[in-house]
Amino acid sequence: IQIPYIDERYNLKAGFDSIRLNIKNIEMDGNELHIDGTSSLANFTVNHPKISTKDVVIKKANFDYNFVFGEDFIAIDSSSTVTLNKMKFSPYVFYQKTKEDKNQIYALKVKIPKMKAQDFIVSLPEGLFTNFEGMEAEGNFSYNLEFLYNKNKPRELVFDSNFKKENLKIIKYGEANLNKLNSSFTYRAIINGIRQRAVEVSPSNSNFTPLGEISPYLRKAVLTSEDPSFFSHRGFINEAFKQSIIKNIKTKRFSRGASTISMQLIKNVFLTREKTLSRKLEEILLVYILENNRISSKERMLEVYFNIIEWGPNVYGIGEASLFYFGKHPSNLTLNESLFLASIVPRPRSFAWQFDGQARLKDTYIKRNHYIADLMLRRGLLEAQDTLQKQFPVEIIGPARSFIKLQPLDSLVLDKIEIDEEFDF
């Protein structure tokens, strides 16, 4: 049975084999309307480009609900339960919009009581977690999530995620074999759905650079700008999630992420770059498994990260990047060169905009690099004498220089393009 209208309205295709709705009770309690009942679905299928590239199928779902409607709010009471195949959890959803102060409050709580990890895996909707298909696990876990957002008090946002495991162990991997990180493998980036050239992540590749041979300046600069607590966190930073949620709600779009190096690594090695709910959820679950089961050491994760990420147009890995920009080995990179390379990690193909017509770094980017250097100094990652290098210019002498739009010395003009960037540290 196809659901009409929503396809044309939301570009969302949905259907099901059967549906059942039972309203057990409707009553007023003061100014609140309570509606209790049950509903069930069989083989519910949904397809939308922002959810997944495949049909997402829920074979069996039951919802024992308790809706509460007030004058200015709607809620799903925590006495409600949702069952997806073998997984059962209690949701609490609350939304309030007040007229007096034009405020909006969003609240969400999810409680998954102790359950078998394998039951959770087999209960995942088909098509939503393709990398988990075929995975097997032992042990149990429980999970609680609490979220609260007050539009008038955004800084007081509550985001608390609590996962408790009991003898949890992955005994068989699905499509994403995380042990792959511990040995040599072939990496192919995927850009706009197209696989790029092969990059060997192994000593057989002359550009592969072991972590110990990468300049300490670069290692520290990238960690400072991308993930300062990489060696202490377990894949996620709650505060970063909070700030990301606040900004995304304010702007009403995904304008800021909260990716750690662990998340970037999983995304690059095992997932595509498609912006779907499916890909993001898989990223979160795979990062949790990687970090909390100690599948790979932090040092090895960082080594792979430096050797696979894109550093410029068709430039992959720090070995290629160091030659591309500076014609040298990564072990010989200076502080200023390292600060520059760290700065282009988010947008490597746009590096040329940082330079003027004489291939000199623009003042805006010089100030940004000085800020990172000062931050590294305050955190004890640099010595005072190291910062003397800030006075030396960043000189691009490798093939990258051909990407910079140079101007003759006798025809200097002001840049016509200004890039307004926001830097979050």
Side-chain angles (χ1 to χ4, degrees):
I1 301 172
Q2 298 297 313
I3 302 176
Y5 175 69
I6 62 172
D7 184 5
E8 296 180 6
R9 179 68 176 83
Y10 300 105
N11 189 29
L12 186 149
K13 296 180 179 180
F16 53 86
D17 284 355
S18 64
I19 186 171
R20 178 175 179 269
L21 177 65
N22 177 25
I23 300 176
K24 295 180 178 179
N25 182 48
I26 301 178
E27 66 176 6
M28 290 295 297
D29 183 2
N31 293 326
E32 297 180 355
L33 172 65
H34 290 253
I35 302 178
D36 306 332
T38 63
S39 63
S40 62
L41 278 169
N43 287 326
F44 177 68
T45 303
V46 63
N47 185 300
H48 190 277
K50 289 190 179 297
I51 297 176
S52 175
T53 56
K54 303 178 180 179
D55 285 348
V56 176
V57 181
I58 299 176
K59 291 184 177 180
K60 184 180 180 181
N62 293 287
F63 183 24
D64 295 325
Y65 58 84
N66 182 353
F67 283 99
V68 183
F69 298 88
E71 293 181 353
D72 58 3
F73 75 90
I74 180 174
I76 298 175
D77 190 76
S78 58
S79 60
S80 306
T81 58
V82 176
T83 304
L84 296 177
N85 300 320
K86 295 183 177 182
M87 176 171 53
K88 187 175 183 178
F89 62 91
S90 299
Y92 169 74
V93 181
F94 177 87
Y95 172 72
Q96 182 179 40
K97 185 175 183 180
T98 56
K99 295 181 180 179
E100 296 79 11
D101 55 1
K102 297 182 179 180
N103 191 23
Q104 295 182 55
I105 297 175
Y106 304 84
L108 171 67
K109 291 182 182 180
V110 176
K111 182 178 182 180
I112 301 178
K114 182 179 174 180
M115 69 175 297
K116 293 180 180 179
Q118 187 59 31
D119 285 346
F120 173 79
I121 292 173
V122 299
S123 297
L124 296 173
E126 294 180 5
L128 192 61
F129 299 94
T130 55
N131 283 283
F132 286 81
E133 294 176 4
M135 181 178 285
E136 296 179 7
E138 294 177 343
N140 306 301
F141 77 92
S142 61
Y143 178 73
N144 288 301
L145 171 68
E146 183 174 358
F147 169 80
L148 175 64
Y149 177 78
N150 186 322
K151 185 179 179 182
N152 287 351
K153 300 177 181 178
R155 296 296 169 185
E156 296 181 9
L157 179 138
V158 175
F159 180 84
D160 186 18
S161 178
N162 185 15
F163 184 96
K164 292 183 179 180
K165 59 183 180 178
E166 182 181 286
N167 302 318
L168 184 61
K169 183 180 180 181
I170 306 299
I171 57 176
K172 181 182 177 181
Y173 291 97
E175 184 175 324
N177 183 358
L178 299 179
N179 269 321
K180 169 182 175 179
L181 293 173
N182 295 321
S183 57
S184 300
F185 65 93
T186 301
Y187 170 70
R188 287 180 180 270
I190 301 177
I191 300 177
N192 296 327
I194 301 173
R195 285 189 175 274
Q196 306 300 303
R197 65 181 174 85
V199 176
E200 293 299 321
V201 185
S202 73
S204 65
N205 178 359
S206 60
N207 288 316
F208 176 82
T209 310
L211 188 62
E213 295 181 19
I214 299 174
S215 167
Y217 290 135
L218 180 62
R219 297 201 306 265
K220 294 173 182 178
V222 169
L223 286 171
T224 299
S225 59
E226 292 295 307
D227 191 352
S229 57
F230 171 71
F231 280 98
S232 60
H233 67 59
R234 291 293 186 89
F236 310 100
I237 305 173
N238 270 4
E239 186 58 33
F241 267 102
K242 289 181 182 180
Q243 298 305 319
S244 175
I245 292 169
I246 291 170
K247 185 166 185 180
N248 292 336
I249 291 177
K250 282 184 175 180
T251 60
K252 296 182 180 181
R253 63 187 180 90
F254 292 107
S255 58
R256 171 175 172 168
S259 290
T260 59
I261 283 178
S262 308
M263 296 172 76
Q264 293 178 47
L265 183 63
I266 286 292
K267 179 171 60 179
N268 278 279
V269 178
F270 298 103
L271 305 173
T272 65
R273 296 190 181 186
E274 61 190 29
K275 294 183 180 297
T276 63
L277 175 64
S278 168
R279 204 272 302 161
K280 194 62 181 178
L281 292 175
E282 283 195 307
E283 178 185 319
I284 292 171
L285 289 175
L286 287 172
V287 167
Y288 181 85
I289 293 172
L290 173 66
E291 287 275 16
N292 288 271
N293 290 276
R294 303 297 189 185
I295 293 171
S296 185
S297 69
K298 289 282 191 176
E299 288 77 12
R300 174 59 178 173
M301 290 166 63
L302 193 60
E303 181 176 82
V304 173
Y305 176 80
F306 271 109
N307 280 279
I308 65 166
I309 64 170
E310 188 178 24
W311 296 86
N314 198 33
V315 178
Y316 295 94
I318 189 56
E320 292 183 14
S322 191
L323 290 171
F324 180 69
Y325 292 102
F326 305 112
K328 61 172 68 172
H329 189 270
S331 60
N332 298 319
L333 291 168
T334 66
L335 174 60
N336 273 359
E337 291 167 346
S338 298
L339 291 168
F340 163 73
L341 287 172
S343 75
I344 66 173
V345 169
R347 291 173 292 276
R349 296 192 174 202
S350 303
F351 78 91
W353 290 112
Q354 297 193 21
F355 297 89
D356 63 17
Q358 300 304 308
R360 294 175 302 205
L361 206 59
K362 297 176 183 177
D363 288 344
T364 299
Y365 301 100
I366 291 175
K367 291 177 181 177
R368 177 208 51 208
N369 291 352
H370 285 183
Y371 174 85
I372 294 295
D374 292 340
L375 196 59
M376 292 166 67
L377 179 64
R378 293 199 300 272
R379 292 177 177 174
L381 301 175
L382 294 177
E383 300 291 338
Q385 58 267 28
D386 292 327
T387 59
L388 297 176
Q389 299 182 44
K390 291 194 302 182
Q391 309 308 318
F392 298 111
V394 174
E395 295 186 82
I396 304 297
I397 61 174
R401 191 177 178 88
S402 64
F403 287 79
I404 301 172
K405 188 174 182 180
L406 301 177
Q407 299 170 348
L409 287 173
D410 58 352
S411 61
L412 289 176
V413 295
L414 292 175
D415 292 320
K416 295 182 179 179
I417 299 177
E418 294 291 338
I419 300 179
D420 182 19
E421 298 192 42
E422 179 178 324
F423 305 108
D424 293 313
F425 302 107

